[in-house]
Amino acid sequence: MNKIFFIALFGIIGSGALAQQQLPVPVEFQKAYARGTRNTNGQPGAKYWQNTADYNLKVDFNPSSRLLKGTVEVVYKNNSTDTLTEIWLKLYPNLYKKGSPRASKIAESDLGEGVQISKFVLEDKAVAPDLLLIDGTNMHTAVPAILPGKSLKLKITYQYELNKGSHNRTGQVDASSHFVAYFFPRIAVYDDVDGWNKYPYTGDAEFYNDFCNFKAEITVPKNFVIWATGDLTNTKDVLNKGIAERIAMAEKSDTVVEVITAADLKNNKVTPDKPFHTWKFAAEQVTDFVFATSDHYLWKSTSLVVDPETKRRTRVDAAFNPAHKDYEEVVDFARQSVQLMSYDFPKWPFPYSHETVFDGLDQMEYPMMVNDNPVAKREDAITLTVHEIFHTMFPFYMGTNETKYGWMDEGWATIGEWLNAPKIDTTMVDEYGVQPTASSSGSKSDTPIMTLTPDLVGAGSFTNSYPKPALGYLFVKDYLGDELFTKALHHYIRSWNGKHPMPFDFFYSMNEGSGKDLNWFWKRWFFDEGVTDMGIQAVEKNTTGYLIKVENKSTKPMPVYLKLTFADGSSENLHETIGIWEKAGNTVVIPVKTNKTLKNVLLGNTYVPDKDRSNNNFSVR
């Protein structure tokens, strides 16, 4: 397995020499520091750049045949210092193309011809089909030289058939409901670290897209409603007056508005009586554009102030099949998720004008949209809603590279779920992934978090992306305290929102924002291997009380939680942050000052993964 830290170089560059001596920095990042596009203080470099594009999408979607026909016009802007003589594009629907490489099996009935391109025009000149080199979900072709600071215009006419089954983040939900994602050819990211993103999409690792502007026109038959990324710009043309008025009401209301009711559906009172309607949307500075459609979904909507300074509001929608009763509360869970993100954690105003939770067949996030399947338990509906909406910050507001570093978004969504979901239902404790982290630690699939996402196998495919990084964030939060952690996190967000932060940008930015050198922790938790296992070695009485010796069987720092039970039946809780291990070896001694007789010591906490708990309970004799 290609583990990134094996090829790391320990260079000394610029003002961040100490940081780079402590963390193993690969050569591609050292080159970025040398070029000035990134900085070892965690800030974008003075010469940082990123490319962008303006997309004009026009599609016709037939819900009966699932055939999508479209044109995409792109103005691609080369803000890099390089002259580009080729472009790479992503054809994500080719996951369902016969012969494409993929991580998991897709039903034979869902395999087809993939994206069929009938016309590809560069600067008003058609490109011959044999010059379009397609390999799975990647396509590339030579282009006239795009000089630094210049643009390229292209227009692609294409079609493909949306998958009926094998729903992987996109596809048919039921006979007349569909979630349509990754539906247009888009230009791949060209960045200052790797150049073109040539990783194919195989269905497991997720995405990496540039921040772009989108205008979209989506044509569907009457009675079909469209929910999408961006703002609907022709509401009165595609929705009946009463429906449009309810949306306007919801945008100003703290209470839930029934935008589309069962009666509206029964009486065909949703869209004007025309054979087809073209829905128009606009979105600026987002990494993707998706839409969903149905002719029989209910629509609940509400809104809230997310920025107390500007009084800006975000509208929150739930669109769902009336047969799914569990979805009745989802709009409330979604609203509370947006509120908690804005005011509690990460305590940053929700960045977009709306968020729609669509009743689908997956558990997946998109800019301003969520495709969430119905669930049997209320707790699961809460955690799922919180998790997917939390992704708004990572990877959409912070444009991380999920393809290589899945932990940079999934880890944040996981800690967001842990911290925010129990505030919606105070009876629940969300320990998603903690036990798998403990049980799989030290196994063959347990590699460092910094292992590239495509190289993960077995249990590590889950733990490295979700709970392990989330635990790292949680431990640092505990160590710094809420106020300083929030200050550091906001420094990172402020520095990198709308950009492409990489792992070292995060590490160094948190150092800078907190005013503390955390590399001792980043190195051990994110780069090192080892079992996560602690135990009590001994409890010894001394003149002031007791000495409790705790052993850590790896270099990974974890907080220590102790419950002390005394002979008189009383108990006391002790807590030490990860800081106790900063300068320690594998054993620490924790003094307990007391004149009571100690009878028992119990080690452990919900959010401390411990593989072997047999040595966590110590009876004092």
Side-chain angles (χ1 to χ4, degrees):
M1 177 172 292
N2 177 21
K3 298 177 183 176
I4 189 171
F5 56 97
F6 282 165
I7 60 169
L9 298 177
F10 292 76
I12 299 177
I13 299 176
S15 62
L18 177 61
Q20 282 212 345
Q21 281 181 312
Q22 292 181 338
L23 293 184
V25 181
V27 65
E28 62 266 26
F29 289 101
Q30 296 203 26
K31 288 180 178 179
Y33 298 142
R35 289 192 298 264
T37 57
R38 294 173 193 259
N39 197 312
T40 53
N41 66 6
Q43 292 283 321
K47 297 181 180 179
Y48 178 81
W49 55 262
Q50 65 191 45
N51 291 348
T52 186
D54 294 327
Y55 284 84
N56 189 0
L57 310 172
K58 295 182 179 180
V59 301
D60 290 283
F61 179 63
N62 185 330
S64 298
S65 66
R66 306 185 313 284
L67 184 65
L68 186 146
K69 295 181 177 181
T71 61
V72 51
E73 297 181 59
V74 189
V75 178
Y76 181 67
K77 300 174 184 178
N78 179 21
N79 295 323
S80 79
T81 54
D82 304 324
T83 296
L84 305 179
T85 58
E86 65 172 356
I87 58 169
W88 284 68
L89 297 96
K90 298 296 180 180
L91 304 177
Y92 290 133
N94 275 4
L95 179 70
Y96 294 90
K97 182 179 179 179
K98 295 175 181 176
S100 288
R102 59 186 64 88
S104 56
K105 185 176 176 59
I106 288 176
E108 190 69 27
S109 58
D110 273 313
L111 297 177
E113 300 306 312
V115 178
Q116 301 292 294
I117 295 175
S118 57
K119 187 176 292 186
F120 191 107
V121 178
L122 284 174
E123 298 289 357
D124 300 321
K125 184 177 180 181
V127 175
D130 61 337
L131 296 180
L132 302 176
L133 306 177
I134 300 175
D135 181 12
T137 56
N138 282 338
M139 177 172 72
H140 64 104
T141 188
V143 297
I146 316 173
L147 299 175
K150 298 299 181 180
S151 299
L152 175 74
K153 294 181 181 179
L154 63 153
K155 181 177 180 179
I156 305 171
T157 304
Y158 70 100
Q159 68 178 46
Y160 77 96
E161 187 176 300
L162 185 72
N163 51 298
K164 182 177 181 179
S166 305
H167 194 109
N168 190 344
R169 307 186 176 105
T170 183
Q172 179 174 298
V173 177
D174 61 37
S176 56
S177 304
H178 302 80
F179 201 101
V180 188
Y182 326 119
F183 64 91
F184 58 94
R186 90 256 335 264
I187 299 178
V189 174
Y190 184 84
D191 68 29
D192 64 307
V193 174
D194 295 318
W196 288 109
N197 171 28
K198 299 179 182 180
Y199 283 93
Y201 170 54
T202 60
D204 50 357
E206 294 179 7
F207 306 95
Y208 184 36
N209 297 311
D210 273 320
F211 286 88
C212 300
N213 299 322
F214 292 90
K215 291 183 178 179
E217 298 183 9
I218 304 161
T219 301
V220 290
K222 70 175 182 179
N223 297 328
F224 279 85
V225 176
I226 298 283
W227 295 268
T229 301
D231 297 319
L232 180 62
T233 61
N234 65 334
T235 306
K236 295 179 180 179
D237 296 334
V238 295
L239 289 167
N240 282 328
K241 182 180 179 182
I243 306 295
E245 289 174 348
R246 292 173 202 167
I247 295 173
M249 186 188 307
E251 289 176 343
K252 302 175 183 178
S253 176
D254 290 334
T255 59
V256 175
V257 175
E258 309 282 344
V259 176
I260 295 178
T261 66
D264 297 324
L265 295 170
K266 182 179 179 181
N267 298 321
N268 292 322
K269 294 292 187 180
V270 177
T271 66
D273 190 18
K274 297 178 182 178
F276 297 92
H277 296 101
T278 298
W279 299 64
K280 298 180 181 180
F281 296 88
E284 295 184 352
Q285 287 301 291
V286 293
T287 58
D288 202 358
F289 186 96
V290 303
F291 72 91
T293 185
S294 178
D295 66 352
H296 63 277
Y297 271 27
L298 301 177
W299 182 354
K300 291 176 180 280
S301 186
T302 182
S303 65
L304 68 151
V305 173
V306 295
D307 189 340
E309 291 188 10
T310 64
K311 305 301 182 185
R312 180 173 59 82
R313 300 182 75 92
T314 289
R315 193 186 80 231
V316 182
D317 301 327
F320 60 98
N321 189 328
H324 298 153
K325 300 304 180 185
D326 61 298
Y327 243 91
E328 290 285 344
E329 285 192 277
V330 164
V331 71
D332 299 317
F333 303 153
R335 187 183 195 280
Q336 291 179 79
S337 296
V338 171
Q339 184 172 9
L340 288 164
M341 289 175 63
S342 301
Y343 294 99
D344 285 54
F345 184 76
K347 210 171 185 178
W348 188 275
F350 195 82
Y352 300 120
S353 60
H354 73 85
E355 179 73 22
T356 300
V357 182
F358 188 83
D359 179 1
L361 292 177
D362 212 301
Q363 300 182 355
M364 185 62 192
E365 71 282 353
Y366 319 78
M368 305 182 213
M369 294 283 287
V370 167
N371 173 9
D372 277 354
N373 60 285
V375 292
K377 296 180 180 178
R378 187 174 186 270
E379 276 191 10
D380 292 341
I382 293 172
T383 56
L384 177 58
T385 303
V386 171
H387 183 106
E388 302 307 341
I389 291 180
F390 203 92
H391 275 298
T392 298
M393 292 297 295
F394 310 89
F396 301 132
Y397 193 59
M398 309 287 288
T400 57
N401 184 348
E402 299 175 275
T403 302
K404 290 178 67 177
Y405 313 110
W407 61 269
M408 291 189 73
D409 76 296
E410 294 296 354
W412 284 112
T414 301
I415 187 179
E417 175 188 330
W418 288 344
L419 296 178
N420 288 350
K423 294 175 183 175
I424 297 177
D425 183 343
T426 57
T427 67
M428 64 184 289
V429 176
D430 183 10
E431 50 188 309
Y432 175 66
V434 180
Q435 184 52 43
T437 298
S439 59
S440 65
S441 70
S443 67
K444 290 182 179 180
S445 62
D446 179 37
T447 57
I449 296 172
M450 282 293 290
T451 305
L452 298 184
T453 298
D455 294 334
L456 297 174
V457 295
S461 298
F462 167 69
T463 57
N464 266 30
S465 296
Y466 294 79
K468 281 171 66 176
L471 288 166
Y473 305 149
L474 191 66
F475 296 164
V476 171
K477 183 174 183 291
D478 179 48
Y479 172 66
L480 294 178
D482 289 350
E483 184 177 348
L484 186 55
F485 179 81
T486 300
K487 178 185 175 184
L489 179 56
H490 285 190
H491 177 73
Y492 169 53
I493 294 172
R494 196 174 292 111
S495 300
W496 287 98
N497 77 80
K499 302 180 178 68
H500 292 311
M502 303 291 181
F504 296 92
D505 303 316
F506 165 69
F507 298 138
Y508 297 153
S509 186
M510 291 293 288
N511 290 356
E512 183 84 2
S514 67
K516 292 182 178 293
D517 184 352
L518 298 168
N519 288 339
W520 66 272
F521 177 76
W522 305 135
K523 173 64 169 62
R524 298 184 208 174
W525 191 261
F526 286 83
F527 293 81
D528 288 356
E529 298 184 86
V531 66
T532 54
D533 186 17
M534 291 195 298
I536 302 172
Q537 275 192 338
V539 179
E540 300 172 359
K541 190 165 180 24
N542 68 0
T543 56
T544 60
Y546 295 87
L547 298 175
I548 302 174
K549 187 178 292 186
V550 178
E551 179 189 20
N552 186 343
K553 294 186 178 179
S554 76
T555 63
K556 292 179 176 293
M558 293 185 287
V560 176
Y561 292 86
L562 297 171
K563 182 178 180 180
L564 312 178
T565 303
F566 298 97
D568 63 3
S570 63
S571 64
E572 180 181 338
N573 293 320
L574 290 183
H575 166 230
E576 297 285 350
T577 73
I578 54 172
I580 199 171
W581 300 104
E582 180 176 359
K583 301 184 185 304
N586 290 90
T587 304
V588 292
V589 177
I590 300 172
V592 178
K593 291 185 178 182
T594 183
N595 55 12
K596 296 181 180 181
T597 301
L598 184 61
K599 297 297 291 182
N600 186 264
V601 181
L602 182 64
L603 171 70
N605 178 269
T606 300
Y607 297 105
V608 177
D610 200 325
K611 186 164 189 173
D612 180 8
R613 294 184 179 272
S614 65
N615 54 0
N616 287 24
N617 197 339
F618 194 96
S619 295
V620 183
R621 290 181 172 83

